[in-house]
Amino acid sequence: MSIVFYAAPQSSASPVTCALLELGVPHERINVNLAEGEQRKPEYLALNPNGKVPLLVVDGTPLFEALAILQWLGDRFGVEKKVWPAASDPARLEALSWTTWGYVSFGSAVVRWFAAASDRLPAEQRNAAAAAAAMKDVQTLLGVLDGRLAPRQYVLGSAFSLADLVLASCVNWAQYSGVSLDGHASVKAWLERCLTRPSLQTPWA
Ligand SMILES: N[C@@H](CCC(=O)N[C@@H](CS)C(=O)NCC(=O)O)C(=O)O
């Protein structure tokens, strides 16, 4: 199988970098220079019309969107490595739910908060009321994750899985962006456990 991974350091491609490392998947990595606009070249747009990284090209077929890539890596390589439940295992349903929750529900609330609060934006684009409402949602969602993790070491039970790698990437990125984990002791302890994993020690690769 030929896998080509189009990536950029410190980007949405980073969790895919970690997953490829965790699963030991042989691949060719091509760094796309985003500052130079390489993602908008016609040959790249032919593979990913969104002009974004990450992108995987598997035996010539493109696969874009980080979450889709991570879930596919779980299906294709994670089952045999015992870090992703088999299709017939009810835990597969939980793995799909929690990884999608991380990117879609939690991730979009963090993006909404960042877009309203970031001091990297011009002051006139910031919106304190929208930022407060988004942060309330982020904290509610962290409470949901805290409830899931309180009786468990990891999101699917007692063993680390690719679902933890995906979720820890989302939560670590949120924390890096300025979201506080205070008041979510189980999330904090779980994140520390996950970050000891060698594959997650280069989160900005
Ligand atoms: N929803 C996409 C987002 C990808 C994304 O926004 N990638 C950024 C880097 S973090 C990018 O390639 N930006 C280049 C551009 O917009 O020109 C995913 O998760 O794969």
Side-chain angles (χ1 to χ4, degrees):
M1 176 181 279
S2 140
I3 297 185
V4 184
F5 174 35
Y6 292 83
Q10 302 186 7
S11 76
S12 306
S14 297
V16 177
T17 301
C18 297
L20 288 166
L21 195 62
E22 175 69 41
L23 298 168
V25 178
H27 63 280
E28 177 192 356
R29 178 180 172 121
I30 297 180
N31 276 317
V32 179
N33 189 330
L34 301 180
E36 298 267 313
E38 285 179 2
Q39 72 280 23
R40 289 189 292 275
K41 287 188 171 170
E43 56 272 30
Y44 190 81
L45 291 173
L47 295 169
N48 183 357
N50 300 291
K52 308 241 184 241
V53 294
L55 165 71
L56 229 55
V57 179
V58 183
D59 289 336
T61 301
L63 172 60
F64 55 80
E65 287 295 333
L67 177 60
I69 294 170
L70 291 162
Q71 291 177 337
W72 178 78
L73 286 172
D75 294 350
R76 182 63 185 77
F77 301 101
V79 177
E80 64 201 50
K81 293 261 174 188
K82 302 202 184 314
V83 290
W84 187 251
S88 58
D89 184 338
R92 168 71 72 86
L93 308 181
E94 298 186 305
L96 290 174
S97 292
W98 283 103
T99 51
T100 304
W101 177 92
Y103 266 82
V104 178
S105 299
F106 180 70
S108 65
V110 176
V111 166
R112 210 155 24 87
W113 168 72
F114 197 71
S118 174
D119 56 12
R120 292 184 215 165
L121 292 173
E124 64 276 12
Q125 283 181 31
R126 288 180 230 152
N127 180 328
M135 182 50 82
K136 192 165 174 271
D137 291 345
V138 169
Q139 291 299 326
T140 299
L141 289 162
L142 282 171
V144 171
L145 182 58
D146 208 60
R148 173 75 188 179
L149 290 168
R152 295 175 181 81
Q153 289 282 297
Y154 292 103
V155 76
L156 299 183
S158 57
F160 175 87
S161 74
L162 197 66
D164 294 291
L165 183 150
V166 174
L167 268 183
S169 299
C170 295
V171 175
N172 199 30
W173 160 73
Q175 191 180 34
Y176 176 81
S177 303
V179 171
S180 169
L181 302 183
D182 289 349
H184 307 291
S186 299
V187 173
K188 266 190 178 178
W190 159 83
L191 185 61
E192 275 172 29
R193 268 195 297 282
C194 291
L195 294 180
T196 62
R197 199 87 186 167
S199 63
L200 276 163
Q201 282 173 14
T202 51
W204 298 113

